[in-house]
Amino acid sequence: MAKSATGKWVSRVGSSGGGKAYKKSRPGNYYGILVVIVVLGLVATVLARYDYEHPGKKAKGTPPAVGTTWYAGLSLQACGKYLPYLATDPSSTGGFTVQPADVIKIKPVSDADSGNNATLAQFAIEYPGMIASSTQLAIPGAGGKSNPSTTFHNGTACASTSKYAGQSGQIEYAYWSSFGQKTPTITTNPSSIKFSQELRVAMAFDPKGVTPMLPQQVTVDDMVKAVDTATTTTTTTTAGTTTTTAGTTTTTSKATTTTTSKATTTTTKG
């Protein structure tokens, strides 16, 4: 029997995968969504790879960050007497460098000594031979060698030649965050002291009740001088002569960076 016209139409529709109405039923933004998914996937992959290759960047924004340069003043003291300055370590590859008169240059180089890790305890870890804890304070000699005369433990008596002869001492750390702070904050935990610009800090072994002394004046003066030198940028600009003749303008300029800021401009009108 011959197929009817209706049967032939149904066959054609079935073989074509649907009619025009069916084809139009697919959402218009279908391909746009696919593009967005692909782009987001690529972005996520790139960011993940960057974070993996640059782990130090995660701490960015927490001062002192890598690349920051700060200065602090240190005081080492025992039984009411200042101890000799630490040996300078210009070859240090860490984030702390001891300069003359116990000025500490804080310039973090990694996560280990930047941000919240830039503490007095970390400074002691990086300085060769130094030990700073709640029970022991060991100030090394030249070359990081142990020095029994400047190694202290809680409960040890002060030397007979000291201000507090025979009295038992204890390890304490004191710091002054600003020049307006007269009374120091005292703690037995060096990890709780985070460096800041122009921080003054003392590592002390004294009898209970004795307030550690401020860093010596030469230390504070050198610290302030180092900060001023690092933060002062002065530019001197000397402008040449501007001459206008018959619609022609000629300008000569020169800029020089010095320690004094001055600008001079001379104009000659034709």
Side-chain angles (χ1 to χ4, degrees):
M1 180 182 294
K3 293 184 178 180
S4 65
T6 301
K8 293 179 179 179
W9 180 82
V10 171
S11 296
R12 286 198 301 271
V13 171
S15 62
S16 65
K20 294 181 180 180
Y22 174 79
K23 292 179 179 180
K24 291 182 180 180
S25 65
R26 178 174 293 176
N29 59 355
Y30 174 78
Y31 294 105
I33 293 174
L34 289 179
V35 171
V36 171
I37 293 174
V38 171
V39 171
L40 290 177
L42 291 173
V43 171
T45 301
V46 171
L47 290 177
R49 182 179 180 83
Y50 181 84
D51 288 340
Y52 176 78
E53 295 178 347
H54 303 80
K57 297 299 183 181
K58 294 179 181 179
K60 185 178 180 180
T62 302
V66 173
T68 298
T69 300
W70 284 350
Y71 292 91
L74 175 66
S75 169
L76 302 171
Q77 50 197 266
C79 300
K81 179 182 178 180
Y82 287 112
L83 297 176
Y85 295 135
L86 290 170
T88 58
D89 55 346
S91 62
S92 172
T93 58
F96 304 97
T97 303
V98 175
Q99 300 187 327
D102 279 353
V103 172
I104 303 176
K105 181 179 182 180
I106 302 103
K107 190 172 183 179
V109 295
S110 68
D111 287 348
D113 46 32
S114 65
N116 293 326
N117 294 324
T119 65
L120 185 62
Q122 183 62 31
F123 162 73
I125 290 173
E126 294 189 12
Y127 190 86
M130 180 178 285
I131 299 175
S133 70
S134 60
T135 59
Q136 180 181 6
L137 177 60
I139 309 302
K145 295 181 179 180
S146 176
N147 185 353
S149 66
T150 54
T151 299
F152 310 96
H153 298 83
N154 285 342
T156 301
C158 289
S160 59
T161 56
S162 69
K163 181 178 180 180
Y164 303 108
Q167 296 186 42
S168 296
Q170 62 182 19
I171 311 300
E172 290 184 331
Y173 306 94
Y175 64 97
W176 297 257
S177 300
S178 67
F179 287 102
Q181 183 180 347
K182 302 302 181 183
T183 303
T185 301
I186 302 175
T187 179
T188 59
N189 180 15
S191 296
S192 67
I193 301 178
K194 181 175 176 290
F195 280 102
S196 59
Q197 181 74 295
E198 295 185 323
L199 180 79
R200 294 168 294 165
V201 60
M203 306 173 79
F205 175 76
D206 285 317
K208 186 176 181 179
V210 174
T211 301
M213 299 177 289
L214 277 162
Q216 299 183 69
Q217 191 60 47
V218 64
T219 301
V220 176
D221 290 344
D222 285 358
M223 174 191 70
V224 172
K225 186 182 299 183
V227 172
D228 289 344
T229 300
T231 59
T232 301
T233 302
T234 313
T235 303
T236 297
T237 302
T238 303
T241 301
T242 301
T243 305
T244 303
T245 305
T248 302
T249 300
T250 304
T251 302
T252 303
S253 61
K254 184 178 180 181
T256 306
T257 300
T258 64
T259 57
T260 305
S261 179
K262 184 177 180 181
T264 305
T265 302
T266 304
T267 302
T268 304
K269 295 183 179 180

